[in-house]
Amino acid sequence: MSTTTITAAISDAIDELRETFPEATVTFESDGDGGGWVLIDPVPLGPAYTQSTSWIAFQITFPYPEADVYPLFVRPDLDRKDGAGHGEGFASVTWGPHAQAGTQLSRRSNRLDPTIDTAATKVLKVLRWLAEQ
């Protein structure tokens, strides 16, 4: 059995996520390549959606913080109250190590600054974007 350790930056990112989302459960599962999959449950979705909460998941890869936290995934049954489609940036997919169904949120950070853009700030930005849709 081989064991892959994660970097201090990824460990710090997980700690920051737990501090940023104190009411949620933050789980981490190694990807075997020095990074891992993070799931935060629950997170708020915003007033446009039938569901009030979801989980949000994403992979933090080994090069973090130089690598973007992208894409992110939320519940597969995400549904708008107005019945409209989700539009650009949403896709139904399977994700992660267990091939779970989910809704992919494509929000790439084009000007990633690893000194200020953390996994926690990325999740907060994506949740704000999601709530504004």
mmCIF file with all atom_site columns, all heavy atoms in Angstrom, residues 32-46:
data_model
loop_
_atom_site.group_PDB
_atom_site.id
_atom_site.type_symbol
_atom_site.label_atom_id
_atom_site.label_alt_id
_atom_site.label_comp_id
_atom_site.label_asym_id
_atom_site.label_entity_id
_atom_site.label_seq_id
_atom_site.pdbx_PDB_ins_code
_atom_site.Cartn_x
_atom_site.Cartn_y
_atom_site.Cartn_z
_atom_site.occupancy
_atom_site.B_iso_or_equiv
_atom_site.pdbx_formal_charge
_atom_site.auth_seq_id
_atom_site.auth_comp_id
_atom_site.auth_asym_id
_atom_site.auth_atom_id
_atom_site.pdbx_PDB_model_num
ATOM 1   N N   . GLY A 1 32 ? -4.506  10.458 -4.502 1.00 0.00 ? 32 GLY A N   1
ATOM 2   C CA  . GLY A 1 32 ? -3.359  9.588  -4.747 1.00 0.00 ? 32 GLY A CA  1
ATOM 3   C C   . GLY A 1 32 ? -2.230  10.249 -5.499 1.00 0.00 ? 32 GLY A C   1
ATOM 4   O O   . GLY A 1 32 ? -1.195  9.643  -5.745 1.00 0.00 ? 32 GLY A O   1
ATOM 5   N N   . ASP A 1 33 ? -2.415  11.512 -5.888 1.00 0.00 ? 33 ASP A N   1
ATOM 6   C CA  . ASP A 1 33 ? -1.400  12.252 -6.640 1.00 0.00 ? 33 ASP A CA  1
ATOM 7   C C   . ASP A 1 33 ? -0.918  13.486 -5.882 1.00 0.00 ? 33 ASP A C   1
ATOM 8   O O   . ASP A 1 33 ? -0.421  14.433 -6.482 1.00 0.00 ? 33 ASP A O   1
ATOM 9   C CB  . ASP A 1 33 ? -1.963  12.673 -8.002 1.00 0.00 ? 33 ASP A CB  1
ATOM 10  C CG  . ASP A 1 33 ? -2.177  11.481 -8.929 1.00 0.00 ? 33 ASP A CG  1
ATOM 11  O OD1 . ASP A 1 33 ? -1.350  10.549 -8.894 1.00 0.00 ? 33 ASP A OD1 1
ATOM 12  O OD2 . ASP A 1 33 ? -3.175  11.481 -9.663 1.00 0.00 ? 33 ASP A OD2 1
ATOM 13  N N   . GLY A 1 34 ? -1.140  13.518 -4.575 1.00 0.00 ? 34 GLY A N   1
ATOM 14  C CA  . GLY A 1 34 ? -0.699  14.650 -3.775 1.00 0.00 ? 34 GLY A CA  1
ATOM 15  C C   . GLY A 1 34 ? -1.762  15.705 -3.585 1.00 0.00 ? 34 GLY A C   1
ATOM 16  O O   . GLY A 1 34 ? -1.551  16.693 -2.892 1.00 0.00 ? 34 GLY A O   1
ATOM 17  N N   . GLY A 1 35 ? -2.896  15.524 -4.168 1.00 0.00 ? 35 GLY A N   1
ATOM 18  C CA  . GLY A 1 35 ? -4.032  16.435 -3.982 1.00 0.00 ? 35 GLY A CA  1
ATOM 19  C C   . GLY A 1 35 ? -5.201  15.654 -3.452 1.00 0.00 ? 35 GLY A C   1
ATOM 20  O O   . GLY A 1 35 ? -5.026  14.581 -2.856 1.00 0.00 ? 35 GLY A O   1
ATOM 21  N N   . GLY A 1 36 ? -6.386  16.173 -3.678 1.00 0.00 ? 36 GLY A N   1
ATOM 22  C CA  . GLY A 1 36 ? -7.548  15.438 -3.214 1.00 0.00 ? 36 GLY A CA  1
ATOM 23  C C   . GLY A 1 36 ? -8.850  16.127 -3.553 1.00 0.00 ? 36 GLY A C   1
ATOM 24  O O   . GLY A 1 36 ? -8.874  17.224 -4.110 1.00 0.00 ? 36 GLY A O   1
ATOM 25  N N   . TRP A 1 37 ? -9.912  15.420 -3.218 1.00 0.00 ? 37 TRP A N   1
ATOM 26  C CA  . TRP A 1 37 ? -11.270 15.902 -3.460 1.00 0.00 ? 37 TRP A CA  1
ATOM 27  C C   . TRP A 1 37 ? -11.850 16.424 -2.162 1.00 0.00 ? 37 TRP A C   1
ATOM 28  O O   . TRP A 1 37 ? -11.756 15.778 -1.126 1.00 0.00 ? 37 TRP A O   1
ATOM 29  C CB  . TRP A 1 37 ? -12.137 14.768 -4.006 1.00 0.00 ? 37 TRP A CB  1
ATOM 30  C CG  . TRP A 1 37 ? -11.740 14.391 -5.391 1.00 0.00 ? 37 TRP A CG  1
ATOM 31  C CD1 . TRP A 1 37 ? -10.843 13.440 -5.761 1.00 0.00 ? 37 TRP A CD1 1
ATOM 32  C CD2 . TRP A 1 37 ? -12.215 14.994 -6.593 1.00 0.00 ? 37 TRP A CD2 1
ATOM 33  N NE1 . TRP A 1 37 ? -10.735 13.414 -7.129 1.00 0.00 ? 37 TRP A NE1 1
ATOM 34  C CE2 . TRP A 1 37 ? -11.567 14.349 -7.661 1.00 0.00 ? 37 TRP A CE2 1
ATOM 35  C CE3 . TRP A 1 37 ? -13.125 16.010 -6.863 1.00 0.00 ? 37 TRP A CE3 1
ATOM 36  C CZ2 . TRP A 1 37 ? -11.807 14.694 -8.991 1.00 0.00 ? 37 TRP A CZ2 1
ATOM 37  C CZ3 . TRP A 1 37 ? -13.363 16.350 -8.179 1.00 0.00 ? 37 TRP A CZ3 1
ATOM 38  C CH2 . TRP A 1 37 ? -12.708 15.697 -9.224 1.00 0.00 ? 37 TRP A CH2 1
ATOM 39  N N   . VAL A 1 38 ? -12.450 17.589 -2.244 1.00 0.00 ? 38 VAL A N   1
ATOM 40  C CA  . VAL A 1 38 ? -13.061 18.240 -1.085 1.00 0.00 ? 38 VAL A CA  1
ATOM 41  C C   . VAL A 1 38 ? -14.558 18.313 -1.313 1.00 0.00 ? 38 VAL A C   1
ATOM 42  O O   . VAL A 1 38 ? -15.011 18.621 -2.426 1.00 0.00 ? 38 VAL A O   1
ATOM 43  C CB  . VAL A 1 38 ? -12.495 19.667 -0.895 1.00 0.00 ? 38 VAL A CB  1
ATOM 44  C CG1 . VAL A 1 38 ? -13.182 20.364 0.266  1.00 0.00 ? 38 VAL A CG1 1
ATOM 45  C CG2 . VAL A 1 38 ? -10.990 19.617 -0.694 1.00 0.00 ? 38 VAL A CG2 1
ATOM 46  N N   . LEU A 1 39 ? -15.316 18.037 -0.266 1.00 0.00 ? 39 LEU A N   1
ATOM 47  C CA  . LEU A 1 39 ? -16.761 18.187 -0.303 1.00 0.00 ? 39 LEU A CA  1
ATOM 48  C C   . LEU A 1 39 ? -17.181 18.989 0.921  1.00 0.00 ? 39 LEU A C   1
ATOM 49  O O   . LEU A 1 39 ? -16.758 18.678 2.041  1.00 0.00 ? 39 LEU A O   1
ATOM 50  C CB  . LEU A 1 39 ? -17.461 16.824 -0.322 1.00 0.00 ? 39 LEU A CB  1
ATOM 51  C CG  . LEU A 1 39 ? -18.962 16.899 -0.587 1.00 0.00 ? 39 LEU A CG  1
ATOM 52  C CD1 . LEU A 1 39 ? -19.383 15.809 -1.558 1.00 0.00 ? 39 LEU A CD1 1
ATOM 53  C CD2 . LEU A 1 39 ? -19.751 16.780 0.689  1.00 0.00 ? 39 LEU A CD2 1
ATOM 54  N N   . ILE A 1 40 ? -17.964 20.034 0.700  1.00 0.00 ? 40 ILE A N   1
ATOM 55  C CA  . ILE A 1 40 ? -18.474 20.895 1.766  1.00 0.00 ? 40 ILE A CA  1
ATOM 56  C C   . ILE A 1 40 ? -19.992 20.750 1.764  1.00 0.00 ? 40 ILE A C   1
ATOM 57  O O   . ILE A 1 40 ? -20.633 20.962 0.736  1.00 0.00 ? 40 ILE A O   1
ATOM 58  C CB  . ILE A 1 40 ? -18.082 22.368 1.538  1.00 0.00 ? 40 ILE A CB  1
ATOM 59  C CG1 . ILE A 1 40 ? -16.571 22.508 1.380  1.00 0.00 ? 40 ILE A CG1 1
ATOM 60  C CG2 . ILE A 1 40 ? -18.601 23.239 2.680  1.00 0.00 ? 40 ILE A CG2 1
ATOM 61  C CD1 . ILE A 1 40 ? -16.121 23.884 0.883  1.00 0.00 ? 40 ILE A CD1 1
ATOM 62  N N   . ASP A 1 41 ? -20.553 20.417 2.920  1.00 0.00 ? 41 ASP A N   1
ATOM 63  C CA  . ASP A 1 41 ? -21.990 20.146 2.986  1.00 0.00 ? 41 ASP A CA  1
ATOM 64  C C   . ASP A 1 41 ? -22.557 20.560 4.333  1.00 0.00 ? 41 ASP A C   1
ATOM 65  O O   . ASP A 1 41 ? -22.068 20.076 5.351  1.00 0.00 ? 41 ASP A O   1
ATOM 66  C CB  . ASP A 1 41 ? -22.227 18.664 2.741  1.00 0.00 ? 41 ASP A CB  1
ATOM 67  C CG  . ASP A 1 41 ? -23.688 18.299 2.626  1.00 0.00 ? 41 ASP A CG  1
ATOM 68  O OD1 . ASP A 1 41 ? -24.506 19.162 2.283  1.00 0.00 ? 41 ASP A OD1 1
ATOM 69  O OD2 . ASP A 1 41 ? -24.007 17.125 2.893  1.00 0.00 ? 41 ASP A OD2 1
ATOM 70  N N   . PRO A 1 42 ? -23.556 21.443 4.353  1.00 0.00 ? 42 PRO A N   1
ATOM 71  C CA  . PRO A 1 42 ? -24.239 22.085 3.236  1.00 0.00 ? 42 PRO A CA  1
ATOM 72  C C   . PRO A 1 42 ? -23.678 23.479 2.961  1.00 0.00 ? 42 PRO A C   1
ATOM 73  O O   . PRO A 1 42 ? -22.970 24.052 3.791  1.00 0.00 ? 42 PRO A O   1
ATOM 74  C CB  . PRO A 1 42 ? -25.682 22.205 3.745  1.00 0.00 ? 42 PRO A CB  1
ATOM 75  C CG  . PRO A 1 42 ? -25.501 22.492 5.221  1.00 0.00 ? 42 PRO A CG  1
ATOM 76  C CD  . PRO A 1 42 ? -24.270 21.686 5.620  1.00 0.00 ? 42 PRO A CD  1
ATOM 77  N N   . VAL A 1 43 ? -24.043 24.015 1.797  1.00 0.00 ? 43 VAL A N   1
ATOM 78  C CA  . VAL A 1 43 ? -23.789 25.410 1.447  1.00 0.00 ? 43 VAL A CA  1
ATOM 79  C C   . VAL A 1 43 ? -25.096 25.994 0.903  1.00 0.00 ? 43 VAL A C   1
ATOM 80  O O   . VAL A 1 43 ? -25.897 25.269 0.312  1.00 0.00 ? 43 VAL A O   1
ATOM 81  C CB  . VAL A 1 43 ? -22.661 25.567 0.406  1.00 0.00 ? 43 VAL A CB  1
ATOM 82  C CG1 . VAL A 1 43 ? -21.317 25.135 0.988  1.00 0.00 ? 43 VAL A CG1 1
ATOM 83  C CG2 . VAL A 1 43 ? -22.965 24.813 -0.871 1.00 0.00 ? 43 VAL A CG2 1
ATOM 84  N N   . PRO A 1 44 ? -25.329 27.293 1.076  1.00 0.00 ? 44 PRO A N   1
ATOM 85  C CA  . PRO A 1 44 ? -26.560 27.909 0.556  1.00 0.00 ? 44 PRO A CA  1
ATOM 86  C C   . PRO A 1 44 ? -26.481 28.100 -0.956 1.00 0.00 ? 44 PRO A C   1
ATOM 87  O O   . PRO A 1 44 ? -25.405 28.315 -1.511 1.00 0.00 ? 44 PRO A O   1
ATOM 88  C CB  . PRO A 1 44 ? -26.600 29.261 1.279  1.00 0.00 ? 44 PRO A CB  1
ATOM 89  C CG  . PRO A 1 44 ? -25.173 29.570 1.557  1.00 0.00 ? 44 PRO A CG  1
ATOM 90  C CD  . PRO A 1 44 ? -24.498 28.246 1.809  1.00 0.00 ? 44 PRO A CD  1
ATOM 91  N N   . LEU A 1 45 ? -27.648 28.020 -1.616 1.00 0.00 ? 45 LEU A N   1
ATOM 92  C CA  . LEU A 1 45 ? -27.682 28.170 -3.075 1.00 0.00 ? 45 LEU A CA  1
ATOM 93  C C   . LEU A 1 45 ? -28.143 29.541 -3.549 1.00 0.00 ? 45 LEU A C   1
ATOM 94  O O   . LEU A 1 45 ? -27.792 29.957 -4.637 1.00 0.00 ? 45 LEU A O   1
ATOM 95  C CB  . LEU A 1 45 ? -28.594 27.098 -3.682 1.00 0.00 ? 45 LEU A CB  1
ATOM 96  C CG  . LEU A 1 45 ? -28.047 25.678 -3.619 1.00 0.00 ? 45 LEU A CG  1
ATOM 97  C CD1 . LEU A 1 45 ? -29.105 24.697 -4.105 1.00 0.00 ? 45 LEU A CD1 1
ATOM 98  C CD2 . LEU A 1 45 ? -26.773 25.559 -4.429 1.00 0.00 ? 45 LEU A CD2 1
ATOM 99  N N   . GLY A 1 46 ? -28.978 30.187 -2.791 1.00 0.00 ? 46 GLY A N   1
ATOM 100 C CA  . GLY A 1 46 ? -29.503 31.466 -3.237 1.00 0.00 ? 46 GLY A CA  1
ATOM 101 C C   . GLY A 1 46 ? -30.968 31.363 -3.579 1.00 0.00 ? 46 GLY A C   1
ATOM 102 O O   . GLY A 1 46 ? -31.526 30.271 -3.725 1.00 0.00 ? 46 GLY A O   1
#
